[in-house]
Amino acid sequence: MVALALELRDLGQQVHLCAPPDFRAWIDGLALPVTPIGPPLRTGSRSQAAPSPPSPQQLRQLARDSVTAQFETVAAAAKGCDVIVAATALQVAARSVAELMDIPYVFAAYCPAVLPSAHHAPPVSPVPGPPTTDNGQLWARDAALFNGAFGDALNAHRTSVGLDPVDDVRGHIFTDRPWLAADQALAPWPEPTAGEVVQTGAWMPPDRPALPAELVAFLEAGEPPVYFGFGSSAGAPEGVTQAMIESARAHGRRVIVSRGWAGLSPDEDAPDCLSIGDVNHQALFTQVAAVVHHGGAGTTTTAARAGAPQVIIPQAYDQYYWAQRVDRLGIGTEHPQVTPTAGSLATALDRVLRADVAARARAVAATVRTDGARVAARRLMAGGGSTGHP
């Protein structure tokens, strides 16, 4: 969303972002107007203790509170705006606010698996119900989950402001012509006729500042290292950082460990290992032997653009899709769905630290487009692909 906002601003448009409060400092630093919405994300991600599952009554209250906050916050932030763009399936109120303001609304997904299709199952798995491999049934159950979680809260608010209730919450959020902010080569929309989905390409922000001097010195001191990081994923399994280091050493490789939201940190201070914070991945990934990560849309696309072989350790949601795509494209491999160990990671690295995989990764990198956010920005300005009211 920041990438899209920057492109719109470069094209002379005014923008306003709604984002979790722990992103505010970063967005403020880009001189983009931002309104905090919802709870901080990083605080929850760092929690290692598994909380008790909420009761049905607590879930209903959480849904009511969330939808109420969304109606209030989005309505205030969108005053004077010409269009609302939502890019999360949990942004339940945005389309209703657009209706009240009589302006267009666009929903964008970052991964094909988020949008219903006969060619894939929902990203939230398993969907409650009897076991089945029928994707149509799984998507119907997924729709029922949305209705059960948010239907009452959404319709109560819609009725209170004079809007008609909706009977398909997910369809209401997604619209009948959603946008897909994913690269066509890396993550194509699977339907034979793609007219119902507008694929713009991935929305990637421009290069950030140069790499820190310590990181540059480490990169220049030897052969390309292996990068490890779980990005914004939740707490990592105990001991996984040491397993990462040992797996790279088994291949004679140095190691870069990104602390990320999980707080990964080596237990030792060794010359072949460097711990880093937030850096410019677009610059870093062109200088590593492989990228081992959680499989988020942004990290996967950035590594693919850089031509870096990948090992993906999926943990949730769309990460399984990205792991499968990287494997099918021949630019990396999917780690088995078990707790990573030094042995399992070394085996995965053995599959990607090969000349043919590196060559394939470079070939695919040449096909990954870099103008997705610009395409989306121009389309918004032209009014194309936006969906108005039900």
Side-chain angles (χ1 to χ4, degrees), residues 14-365:
Q14 294 181 327
V15 294
H16 194 116
L17 286 158
C18 281
D22 40 349
F23 287 88
R24 181 169 189 169
W26 173 48
I27 298 172
D28 280 342
L30 298 171
L32 291 169
V34 58
T35 296
I37 186 170
L41 293 185
R42 298 197 186 208
T43 301
S45 295
R46 286 185 178 274
S47 176
Q48 298 291 325
S52 301
S55 67
Q57 294 81 3
Q58 290 173 320
L59 285 174
R60 285 192 292 271
Q61 186 61 50
L62 286 170
R64 286 194 294 268
D65 293 345
S66 176
V67 172
T68 298
Q70 288 179 27
F71 266 95
E72 295 173 352
T73 306
V74 175
K79 285 182 179 178
C81 292
D82 299 312
V83 60
I84 294 177
V85 181
T88 166
L90 298 181
Q91 187 51 258
V92 180
R95 187 173 182 181
S96 297
V97 173
E99 285 182 64
L100 285 169
M101 298 177 64
D102 195 28
I103 60 175
Y105 162 86
V106 173
F107 174 81
Y110 300 130
C111 173
V114 173
L115 301 174
S117 169
H119 296 271
H120 53 244
V124 177
S125 182
V127 181
T132 180
T133 57
D134 185 301
N135 288 333
Q137 292 185 29
L138 292 173
W139 280 109
R141 295 178 190 172
D142 182 74
L145 287 177
F146 272 85
N147 287 341
F150 296 107
D152 290 345
L154 173 63
N155 285 327
H157 277 277
R158 287 178 62 85
T159 301
S160 70
V161 294
L163 296 176
D164 293 334
V166 298
D167 56 10
D168 177 8
V169 173
R170 189 191 67 201
H172 170 77
I173 297 169
F174 287 4
T175 80
D176 57 0
R177 200 160 191 247
W179 290 16
L180 177 56
D183 184 75
Q184 289 90 337
L186 189 61
W189 179 243
E191 301 290 349
T193 56
E196 72 278 16
V197 169
V198 177
Q199 187 159 12
T200 64
W203 301 350
M204 304 298 289
D207 288 344
R208 290 180 288 173
L211 298 175
E214 181 186 25
L215 177 54
V216 172
F218 183 81
L219 291 167
E220 293 176 347
E223 293 297 314
V226 175
Y227 167 96
F228 294 90
F230 281 164
S232 58
S233 284
E238 185 175 353
V240 72
T241 307
Q242 190 60 35
M244 292 171 170
I245 295 171
E246 292 175 7
S247 70
R249 286 174 175 167
H251 288 275
R253 295 283 180 172
R254 299 180 303 147
V255 184
I256 293 175
V257 176
S258 175
R259 291 186 288 274
W261 292 14
L264 301 179
S265 181
D267 295 329
E268 57 183 293
D269 183 14
D272 67 342
C273 181
L274 180 68
S275 175
I276 63 172
D278 292 337
V279 301
N280 181 352
H281 282 171
Q282 294 177 37
L284 174 59
F285 287 175
T286 62
Q287 303 180 65
V288 300
V291 176
V292 183
H293 63 103
H294 60 305
T299 308
T300 305
T301 303
T302 302
R305 278 179 56 178
Q310 304 182 50
V311 174
I312 295 185
I313 309 171
Q315 300 171 65
Y317 204 54
D318 61 340
Q319 296 167 11
Y320 298 100
Y321 169 88
W322 294 111
Q324 292 166 8
R325 284 298 299 167
V326 160
D327 197 272
R328 290 171 186 169
L329 286 168
I331 62 175
T333 190
E334 177 179 4
H335 186 276
Q337 294 182 32
V338 296
T339 300
T341 64
S344 67
L345 289 170
T347 298
L349 285 172
D350 188 56
R351 292 196 291 268
V352 302
L353 292 175
R354 296 169 12 197
D356 60 326
V357 177
R360 177 63 180 162
R362 290 192 297 271
V364 170

